[in-house]
Amino acid sequence: MKTDQANHYVIKDYQKQKPFSSFLSGVAGPMGIPMWSFYVNRGQLIASFGVRDKNGQIMEFTPANGAYREVPSIGFRTFVKVDGVLHEFFKEQNDHQILKIRGDQIQIEEHAEELALTVKVTYFTLPNANVAGLIRKVELINHTSGQRTFELVDGLAQMLPSGVDFGSYKAVSNLLQSWMQSEINDDHVFLTLRASTGDSVEVSAVKDGNFYIRTGLKDAFYVTDTKLIFDEDTTLQTPYGFMAAPFETLRDTAQTLVNQVPSAMSVARVHLDQTLTFFGLYGYAKDRSRVQALAKQVANGYFEAKEQENEDLHNTLVRPAQTHTGLPSYDAYVKQCYLDNALRGGIPWTVKVKDKTIGYYLYSRKHGDLERDYNFFHLEPGYYSQGNGNFRDVLQNRRNDIFFNPAIGDFNIRQFASLIQADGYNPLSIEGVTFDFEGDAHQYPKLVQDLLAASFTPGTLAMALETSGCHVEDNLKAILESSRVNIKARYGEGYWEDHFTYLYDLFEAYLSVYPDKEESLLFDMMVPYFKSPAKVLKRTEKHVIDQAGNIRQFGSVKHLDHDGKD
């Protein structure tokens, strides 16, 4: 294991090493929609991805212990058939496999000596677009001197339609197949449910959907019917259908498009000289029109530009922590630590509101990774995205923010001090912030007016402005300047009594930058306390004697009604 000069962390024969899980940053830029993506060092890496939270899964969310087992079968697959001989790349028993990890992307490669062929796969998320997406770049490298022709199957073995609830799919996945359908178009695949799945009299139509777009393969067609590739092998281990039938036969065979979990794959006849690069975009859109428009404009050049854009975006985020030493691996380590820290606490965007300047935190996310499957993370599926987090995690990851962004002033002190309850406890979950508009909304289009009638986030406002044909940045700034900020939190799963101590770190950091404001901080700052829907009982009310005669502390927390009464 080592770090190369390109700031990659390299693991040889990764698929045979001790298993681990991690995730892509999900950062999509201010005018992008984030996608969460988890990976493991098995198969072709990607274990699950989606939008918003686990209920927005595109590839089924499976905790780490299950993902290590399932990724090689239901994940991304690559089969090559040369002269009637089949080879699947990135199987565990294969040799010459390498994993490269970078802050903005991950990459694997395998060299098949018997085929004189190398396959490289690179993953990164789609930045600054009106759809959320995971981009998969595939490179085929021919090590012989002449042109070669072979057949290829490549893509995601199982891809869920949108609207498949996490809990329901775990419980009744066989039933939910009855609603699933796929639509194969010339330039994209759209996966959705035929109708809402709730057990109710009223049935609603489903407009949003997950999609797959491919570029770079000329003689190819889409496949969503897994049986076309695997025949009756429900383990998805052996592609009997692909092995038995030539390209033309598979192309002309009718696919079943309903009542089964679809795949998102492509079958191609490849004419390979030296190298061939193709891309796949696997994502989510709120309606078909966005996918149709995107599919008509993309080509390999679009994705190559987005790869560079994604790298530039991450380099910009970590620039405040950039170091130049004689040890490049240390410089890369510092930047990665800063990026990881920022994903927990967010990156502050200095915003002027009606009565002050605040820090609006972009890109924050709860650590709901594959090994912390008990955490229900949330990434706002919109522009200027913010996520949820735990009080302590967010607070401790913002302790040094003022050194990098002095303009945020005392905002973090105000936010977290206002979340302390009168009894000293603090809520567990931080929900980001919303805004209330106090200006004249009639100057804006009807869609924006309706949004401003209630609390809103910059992301929902930016998308409404864009849909209405308004200039986003100028109008967003003007509306926020006439709005007040709301700090949001909730009780969550429990209380903590010691996390307020992290506030002292905020005080010390703030006074290190603004030592002249100590008196104002101590005596002039007025902050409210958090009124919670639950309270901790007195000792006389929560100490009991159990059936064995032991003194125990049970039922410590009492939940209140909507008026805050016992």
Side-chain angles (χ1 to χ4, degrees), residues 192-214:
T192 187
L193 300 178
R194 288 194 294 278
S196 58
T197 61
D199 188 9
S200 61
V201 175
E202 184 177 358
V203 178
S204 58
V206 177
K207 296 182 179 180
D208 61 344
N210 298 331
F211 66 88
Y212 165 42
I213 298 174
R214 177 201 67 242

Side-chain angles (χ1 to χ4, degrees), residues 323-337:
T323 61
H324 297 279
T325 70
L327 191 61
S329 60
Y330 172 80
D331 298 332
Y333 171 76
V334 170
K335 289 191 290 186
Q336 185 63 46
C337 286

Side-chain angles (χ1 to χ4, degrees), residues 33 41 50 117 224 256 275-276 309 336 342 423 435 516-517 541 565:
I33 300 176
N41 60 324
L117 185 66
T224 64
T256 300
T275 63
L276 173 68
E309 191 176 328
Q336 185 63 46
D423 58 7
F435 297 84
D516 56 315
K517 297 187 177 181
E541 298 176 84
K565 299 178 181 179

Side-chain angles (χ1 to χ4, degrees), residues 55-117:
N55 290 325
Q57 58 187 353
I58 296 175
M59 180 181 174
E60 180 185 358
F61 180 91
T62 302
N65 62 330
Y68 301 140
R69 178 182 65 251
E70 295 180 13
V71 164
S73 58
I74 71 169
F76 287 98
R77 311 285 291 276
T78 302
F79 300 98
V80 171
K81 188 166 61 175
V82 181
D83 299 325
V85 178
L86 180 79
H87 179 86
E88 180 178 1
F89 282 83
F90 305 108
K91 291 180 69 69
E92 186 168 345
Q93 62 265 35
N94 297 357
D95 295 320
H96 309 297
Q97 297 187 53
I98 298 175
L99 165 61
K100 296 182 178 181
I101 304 172
R102 205 169 72 182
D104 61 304
Q105 63 177 224
I106 50 176
Q107 181 185 94
I108 51 175
E109 67 175 74
E110 179 191 329
H111 174 60
E113 289 186 342
E114 67 276 19
L115 297 179
L117 185 66

